[in-house]
Short mmCIF file of all heavy atoms in Angstrom, two decimals:
data_model
loop_
_atom_site.label_atom_id
_atom_site.label_comp_id
_atom_site.label_asym_id
_atom_site.label_seq_id
_atom_site.Cartn_x
_atom_site.Cartn_y
_atom_site.Cartn_z
N SER A 1128 47.46 -17.69 -68.70
CA SER A 1128 46.59 -16.52 -68.72
C SER A 1128 45.44 -16.71 -69.70
O SER A 1128 44.29 -16.37 -69.40
CB SER A 1128 47.39 -15.27 -69.08
OG SER A 1128 48.37 -14.98 -68.11
N VAL A 1129 45.74 -17.24 -70.88
CA VAL A 1129 44.71 -17.45 -71.90
C VAL A 1129 43.68 -18.47 -71.42
O VAL A 1129 42.46 -18.27 -71.54
CB VAL A 1129 45.35 -17.90 -73.23
CG1 VAL A 1129 44.26 -18.26 -74.25
CG2 VAL A 1129 46.24 -16.80 -73.79
N ARG A 1132 41.59 -16.90 -68.63
CA ARG A 1132 40.65 -15.91 -69.17
C ARG A 1132 39.52 -16.59 -69.93
O ARG A 1132 38.36 -16.18 -69.83
CB ARG A 1132 41.41 -14.94 -70.08
CG ARG A 1132 40.58 -13.73 -70.50
CD ARG A 1132 41.46 -12.61 -70.98
NE ARG A 1132 42.05 -12.86 -72.27
CZ ARG A 1132 43.35 -12.95 -72.48
NH1 ARG A 1132 44.19 -12.84 -71.47
NH2 ARG A 1132 43.83 -13.15 -73.69
N LEU A 1133 39.84 -17.63 -70.68
CA LEU A 1133 38.82 -18.35 -71.44
C LEU A 1133 37.80 -18.99 -70.50
O LEU A 1133 36.58 -18.92 -70.75
CB LEU A 1133 39.48 -19.42 -72.31
CG LEU A 1133 38.57 -20.27 -73.19
CD1 LEU A 1133 37.81 -19.39 -74.17
CD2 LEU A 1133 39.38 -21.31 -73.94
N ALA A 1136 36.06 -15.82 -68.23
CA ALA A 1136 35.26 -14.93 -69.06
C ALA A 1136 34.12 -15.68 -69.75
O ALA A 1136 33.06 -15.11 -70.00
CB ALA A 1136 36.14 -14.25 -70.11
N ALA A 1198 41.99 -7.19 -66.36
CA ALA A 1198 43.08 -8.14 -66.62
C ALA A 1198 44.39 -7.43 -66.93
O ALA A 1198 45.45 -7.81 -66.42
CB ALA A 1198 42.69 -9.07 -67.77
N ALA A 1353 50.46 -13.49 -74.02
CA ALA A 1353 49.09 -13.84 -73.69
C ALA A 1353 48.09 -13.01 -74.50
O ALA A 1353 47.07 -13.52 -74.97
CB ALA A 1353 48.85 -13.65 -72.19
N VAL A 1354 48.38 -11.70 -74.63
CA VAL A 1354 47.51 -10.84 -75.44
C VAL A 1354 47.49 -11.33 -76.89
O VAL A 1354 46.42 -11.41 -77.53
CB VAL A 1354 47.96 -9.38 -75.37
CG1 VAL A 1354 47.15 -8.52 -76.33
CG2 VAL A 1354 47.83 -8.84 -73.95
N LEU A 1355 48.66 -11.67 -77.42
CA LEU A 1355 48.74 -12.19 -78.78
C LEU A 1355 47.98 -13.51 -78.90
O LEU A 1355 47.29 -13.76 -79.90
CB LEU A 1355 50.20 -12.37 -79.17
CG LEU A 1355 50.48 -12.86 -80.60
CD1 LEU A 1355 49.91 -11.89 -81.62
CD2 LEU A 1355 51.97 -13.05 -80.82
N GLY A 1356 48.09 -14.35 -77.87
CA GLY A 1356 47.35 -15.60 -77.88
C GLY A 1356 45.85 -15.37 -77.87
O GLY A 1356 45.09 -16.10 -78.52
N GLY A 1357 45.40 -14.33 -77.14
CA GLY A 1357 43.98 -13.98 -77.15
C GLY A 1357 43.51 -13.56 -78.53
O GLY A 1357 42.40 -13.86 -78.94
N VAL A 1358 44.39 -12.86 -79.25
CA VAL A 1358 44.06 -12.44 -80.62
C VAL A 1358 43.94 -13.65 -81.54
O VAL A 1358 42.98 -13.78 -82.32
CB VAL A 1358 45.12 -11.47 -81.14
CG1 VAL A 1358 44.90 -11.18 -82.63
CG2 VAL A 1358 45.10 -10.18 -80.33
N LEU A 1359 44.89 -14.57 -81.43
CA LEU A 1359 44.93 -15.71 -82.34
C LEU A 1359 43.90 -16.79 -81.99
O LEU A 1359 43.31 -17.41 -82.89
CB LEU A 1359 46.33 -16.32 -82.33
CG LEU A 1359 47.47 -15.42 -82.82
CD1 LEU A 1359 48.81 -16.13 -82.68
CD2 LEU A 1359 47.24 -15.00 -84.27
N LEU A 1360 43.67 -17.01 -80.70
CA LEU A 1360 42.85 -18.14 -80.27
C LEU A 1360 41.44 -17.75 -79.84
O LEU A 1360 40.51 -18.55 -79.98
CB LEU A 1360 43.54 -18.88 -79.12
CG LEU A 1360 44.93 -19.44 -79.42
CD1 LEU A 1360 45.53 -20.07 -78.16
CD2 LEU A 1360 44.87 -20.46 -80.55
N LEU A 1361 41.30 -16.54 -79.30
CA LEU A 1361 40.00 -16.13 -78.77
C LEU A 1361 39.30 -15.10 -79.64
O LEU A 1361 38.21 -14.63 -79.29
CB LEU A 1361 40.17 -15.57 -77.34
CG LEU A 1361 40.88 -16.49 -76.34
CD1 LEU A 1361 40.96 -15.82 -74.98
CD2 LEU A 1361 40.18 -17.83 -76.25
N GLY A 1362 39.92 -14.71 -80.76
CA GLY A 1362 39.29 -13.76 -81.66
C GLY A 1362 39.27 -12.35 -81.14
O GLY A 1362 38.45 -11.53 -81.58
N GLU A 1363 40.16 -12.00 -80.18
CA GLU A 1363 40.20 -10.64 -79.66
C GLU A 1363 40.88 -9.72 -80.66
O GLU A 1363 41.61 -10.16 -81.55
CB GLU A 1363 40.96 -10.63 -78.32
CG GLU A 1363 40.25 -11.47 -77.26
CD GLU A 1363 41.04 -11.55 -75.96
OE1 GLU A 1363 42.21 -11.09 -75.94
OE2 GLU A 1363 40.50 -12.08 -74.97
N THR A 1364 40.62 -8.43 -80.55
CA THR A 1364 41.18 -7.47 -81.50
C THR A 1364 42.67 -7.26 -81.25
O THR A 1364 43.16 -7.43 -80.13
CB THR A 1364 40.46 -6.11 -81.38
OG1 THR A 1364 40.59 -5.63 -80.03
CG2 THR A 1364 38.99 -6.27 -81.71
N ALA A 1365 43.38 -6.89 -82.30
CA ALA A 1365 44.82 -6.65 -82.22
C ALA A 1365 45.09 -5.17 -82.49
O ALA A 1365 45.28 -4.76 -83.63
CB ALA A 1365 45.56 -7.51 -83.25
N PRO A 1366 45.09 -4.34 -81.45
CA PRO A 1366 45.35 -2.91 -81.66
C PRO A 1366 46.78 -2.67 -82.09
O PRO A 1366 47.68 -3.48 -81.84
CB PRO A 1366 45.07 -2.31 -80.28
CG PRO A 1366 45.33 -3.43 -79.32
CD PRO A 1366 44.92 -4.68 -80.03
N LEU A 1369 49.59 -3.04 -79.63
CA LEU A 1369 50.13 -4.36 -79.33
C LEU A 1369 51.43 -4.57 -80.10
O LEU A 1369 52.42 -5.05 -79.55
CB LEU A 1369 49.12 -5.44 -79.69
CG LEU A 1369 49.62 -6.89 -79.66
CD1 LEU A 1369 50.11 -7.26 -78.26
CD2 LEU A 1369 48.53 -7.85 -80.10
#
Side-chain angles (χ1 to χ4, degrees):
S1128 296
V1129 174
R1132 191 161 72 242
L1133 180 60
V1354 174
L1355 182 60
V1358 172
L1359 297 177
L1360 301 176
L1361 305 181
E1363 297 176 352
T1364 58
L1369 170 60

